[in-house]
Amino acid sequence: MQLTEEHKMLREMVRDFAQNRIKPQAAEIDETERFPEEVIAEMAELGLMGIPYPEKYGGAGMDYVAYAIAVEEIAKVCGSTALTLAAHISLGTGPIFMFGSEEQKTKYLPELCSGKALGAFGLTESQAGSDAGATQSTAVNKGDHYLLNGTKVFCTNGSYAKYITVSAVTEKGKGTKGISCFVLEKGAEGFELGKKERKLGVRGSDTVVLHFSDVKVPKGNLLGKENEGFRQMLTTLDAGRISIAAMSLGLAEGAYDATLQYVTQRKAFDKRVADFQATQFKLADMHVQIEAARHLVFEAAQRKDAGKPYMREAAVAKLFASEMATRVTLQAIQLHGGYGYIRDYPVERMFRDNKLCEIGEGTSEIQRLVIARTLLQDYAA
């Protein structure tokens, strides 16, 4: 893909920041499960928290290609920080930008796009993961407000977000056609944070349970129209899949770069490990898979920027990139030998961090369903 000069300048800026500011503390963030608030604040100062949104709302006025570039470069050194950015932009800010009224956009987006406030998305429940239509949380219409009750799980950025877009049933018995989305503001009475999850990977990313008990949500916080929430959620996830694919691409590249450095320095049987044909074949396969994923990721991003349908392309990119990164990070561990299995080297962390990418924003199984259904629909037409 041919990058514009603006894209190239962004890549160099984000790469420099990631390598010099984030990379030195990435292992510590993972080890201590610490949310790097100071890094997020610095990312906000660089204008990264609102990359794909218009300047009139406080964004950088760039595009989704630029956003994917930023996530990719940060993921090369720290999956936790990349996920925090991706969840904020795609899931926390995206629904308000795509479905909010002008009044809502003017109210919420300047804080979100500038990074003065962090965003999150409350969708998943204990019995409603891949089957988002099984949502049990309810929002009862009380005239000038709704009463929100329920629990959300696996909410990324939930502890630190000022604004959280939450889905809830507003009309029982209508299934997916009876769900609405609301913008919930932190500090609302009856809104409590639950336990912080301890995870296999992306351990510096905040993942928390949210509890709602008779939370009064003003009518003005309804996103779009009542009972349109399910469609809003799916559209939000389509866009989010591009950033998760970019995150996997970055994790694979980070592991590959670390492996190249290791095999060209490590010696065995009086030769560099890189000089063995078995090693070279593995490196070649890793490179090919990374490059294939790169084309898919940026094709999906370009289609979104061009206003073309991109649901299938986003699913293809997310499916291939996430499963590719698992293969590449595993090979990186193998090529490091015993050192790949210990925490002194970053490849084991990158392997752990990527596993989420095969689950979040829709599992690999869901991506295959999306792809197959769209293919069959096109064939029938």
Side-chain angles (χ1 to χ4, degrees), residues 56-73:
K56 74 172 186 175
Y57 297 126
M62 299 186 74
D63 54 19
Y64 238 68
V65 168
Y67 168 41
I69 288 170
V71 173
E72 174 194 1
E73 290 299 327

Side-chain angles (χ1 to χ4, degrees), residues 81-150:
T81 306
L83 181 60
T84 299
L85 176 66
H88 165 77
I89 291 181
S90 297
L91 305 184
T93 308
I96 300 173
F97 176 71
M98 289 188 287
F99 306 111
S101 65
E102 188 59 35
E103 182 180 356
Q104 288 171 328
K105 292 178 184 180
T106 302
K107 179 179 180 180
Y108 299 117
L109 291 182
E111 283 188 87
L112 290 165
C113 291
S114 66
K116 292 180 180 177
L118 201 61
F121 192 49
L123 168 63
T124 307
E125 300 182 1
S126 59
Q127 300 300 317
S130 294
D131 182 10
T135 297
Q136 297 297 307
S137 294
T138 59
V140 179
N141 192 333
K142 293 295 183 179
D144 64 342
H145 67 275
Y146 292 86
L147 272 187
L148 176 65
N149 284 280

Side-chain angles (χ1 to χ4, degrees), residues 208-341:
V208 70
V209 176
L210 310 176
H211 297 293
F212 313 119
S213 179
D214 285 341
V215 178
K216 286 187 178 181
V217 183
K219 271 291 182 65
N221 288 37
L222 173 68
L223 205 57
K225 296 180 181 180
E226 195 172 275
N227 297 335
E228 291 186 347
F230 188 74
R231 178 182 62 83
Q232 295 170 355
M233 290 187 292
L234 295 186
T235 303
T236 298
L237 291 173
D238 285 340
R241 285 165 185 160
I242 298 174
S243 63
I244 294 299
M247 178 176 159
S248 284
L249 176 62
L251 286 166
E253 289 178 292
Y256 184 67
D257 291 344
T259 302
L260 279 174
Q261 180 180 9
Y262 181 81
V263 298
T264 53
Q265 294 176 354
R266 173 78 172 179
K267 288 190 174 182
F269 306 103
D270 295 324
K271 295 170 64 176
R272 298 184 310 167
V273 173
D275 293 329
F276 291 95
Q277 189 180 67
T279 299
Q280 293 171 2
F281 280 7
K282 283 183 169 63
L283 291 174
D285 287 343
M286 293 161 76
H287 174 75
V288 168
Q289 292 180 73
I290 288 169
E291 289 305 303
R294 185 188 312 285
H295 286 284
L296 293 172
V297 170
F298 287 102
E299 167 66 14
Q302 286 180 317
R303 288 186 67 88
K304 186 179 189 313
D305 288 334
K308 297 178 180 179
Y310 66 92
M311 178 175 65
R312 181 164 67 213
E313 287 76 12
V316 168
K318 196 264 191 188
L319 173 64
F320 184 83
S322 63
E323 295 192 346
M324 172 279 300
T326 292
R327 293 191 296 269
V328 167
T329 53
L330 273 172
Q331 283 286 28
I333 291 171
Q334 190 71 20
L335 286 170
H336 276 72
Y339 289 112
Y341 199 69

